[in-house]
Amino acid sequence: APPAAGAELSGMFQAVAKQECYFINGTEKVRYVLRYIYYREPYATFDSDVGHYVGFTPYGERNAKRLNSDPALLEDRRASVDRYCRH
C-alpha cells in the first residue's frame, strides 16, 4: 500500500531472484526453476522443462523477450540442471 499523506518513503525496495531445484523420482528427473520477483510479485521465470524465459507482467514480458534473445544465456540456464541442481 502507498504511504499515508505526509509520510516519507523509506527508499527500500525488494527485488529477488530465487533458484529452486525439483527432484522427481529420486534424481531421475530434475527440474530447475529461476524466478524473478519484485515486491512479492513474480514477473518472469525460467523453467528448464520449458527451456526459455516466460514473463507474467508487461515488464516481465519485455525482460523475457530480451533474455530469450541471448542464446548463450539460454544455454547456460539450461545447463543449470546439471551444474546447479545435480552438483
Side-chain angles (χ1 to χ4, degrees), residues 46 51-53 67-79:
F46 175 85
H52 62 272
Y53 286 88
L67 294 167
N68 287 332
S69 69
D70 185 354
L73 177 67
L74 286 177
E75 186 59 34
D76 183 62
R77 290 293 178 239
R78 291 179 188 127

Side-chain angles (χ1 to χ4, degrees), residues 11 14 22-23 25 28 31 35-36 39 43 48 54 56 62 65 70 79-80 85:
Q14 183 181 24
Y22 296 97
F23 297 91
N25 197 13
E28 185 177 319
R31 182 176 167 213
R35 302 177 200 281
Y36 293 100
Y39 278 115
Y43 64 89
S48 63
V54 177
F56 300 115
R62 285 193 312 267
K65 184 177 179 183
D70 185 354
S80 293
C85 295

Side-chain angles (χ1 to χ4, degrees), residues 2-19:
E8 288 193 33
L9 298 174
S10 67
M12 287 189 61
F13 65 94
Q14 183 181 24
V16 177
K18 185 174 183 180
Q19 301 179 77

Side-chain angles (χ1 to χ4, degrees), residues 19-48:
Q19 301 179 77
E20 300 171 323
C21 296
Y22 296 97
F23 297 91
I24 300 126
N25 197 13
T27 58
E28 185 177 319
K29 174 80 172 126
V30 181
R31 182 176 167 213
Y32 170 77
V33 178
L34 172 62
R35 302 177 200 281
Y36 293 100
I37 303 165
Y38 185 71
Y39 278 115
R40 299 183 194 159
E41 181 181 341
Y43 64 89
T45 188
F46 175 85
D47 188 337
S48 63

